[in-house]
Amino acid sequence: MEQVIDYYLGFEGEPEIRFMYISSDNTRFSIKMWEGYFDTLMSYIQPTTVGEKVLFYYYHTHTGWYDHSPWKLLDVSGVINELQGIDKTHVDQICLGILNDMYHLALQAKKQATYIWITYD
């Protein structure tokens, strides 16, 4: 079973990012989005610790999901901290919705003691 929040509709043919986790009952929870929305959100993340390897690091070094897909993010708490640290005053409404959904998905992944996966297609 899969539950999808879709921010990709209307961008078919453009690169797609999926941010997801798989629950203990094998249900896949994912957010499907146009790469442009993801790029915008990543531009708002500020590095928090030198050498910390979470979303900011992998995005800006073009590693992780760019190298192979799907790709497992091991530090769910770090992802939560990065998403939480975004200054929401400059984020447009669509990206704000995506940000909130990503944050809640990450919280659920942490609660389930599982990982977050990113796919790039």
Side-chain angles (χ1 to χ4, degrees):
M1 172 185 262
E2 183 172 18
Q3 293 186 14
V4 179
I5 300 172
D6 191 354
Y7 292 99
Y8 185 70
L9 188 63
F11 293 99
E12 294 81 3
E14 298 284 329
E16 174 190 314
I17 299 281
R18 278 191 190 239
F19 188 81
M20 65 184 157
Y21 80 93
I22 301 169
S23 69
S24 57
D25 69 356
N26 254 3
T27 301
R28 181 183 304 210
F29 295 88
S30 65
I31 301 166
K32 180 167 84 165
M33 70 193 88
W34 171 54
E35 183 186 38
Y37 292 143
F38 189 75
D39 290 344
T40 299
L41 286 172
M42 293 302 99
S43 74
Y44 290 121
I45 293 178
Q46 299 300 312
T48 54
T49 305
V50 175
E52 187 174 272
K53 294 184 177 179
V54 193
L55 280 172
F56 180 88
Y57 173 84
Y58 291 109
Y59 178 80
H60 289 285
T61 59
H62 292 282
T63 58
W65 58 90
Y66 290 107
D67 292 336
H68 56 86
S69 180
W71 183 72
K72 185 182 349 181
L73 272 167
L74 301 174
D75 186 356
V76 176
S77 293
V79 171
I80 290 168
N81 290 338
E82 284 183 327
L83 296 174
Q84 200 170 33
I86 292 175
D87 179 3
K88 294 158 191 67
T89 58
H90 303 300
V91 180
D92 68 53
Q93 286 303 109
I94 293 173
C95 287
L96 189 58
I98 296 169
L99 174 61
N100 287 331
D101 289 336
M102 287 175 69
Y103 177 73
H104 290 294
L105 184 143
L107 287 176
Q108 288 302 313
K110 183 176 179 179
K111 184 177 177 182
Q112 291 272 326
T114 189
Y115 303 105
I116 294 172
W117 294 86
I118 295 180
T119 63
Y120 177 75
D121 188 24

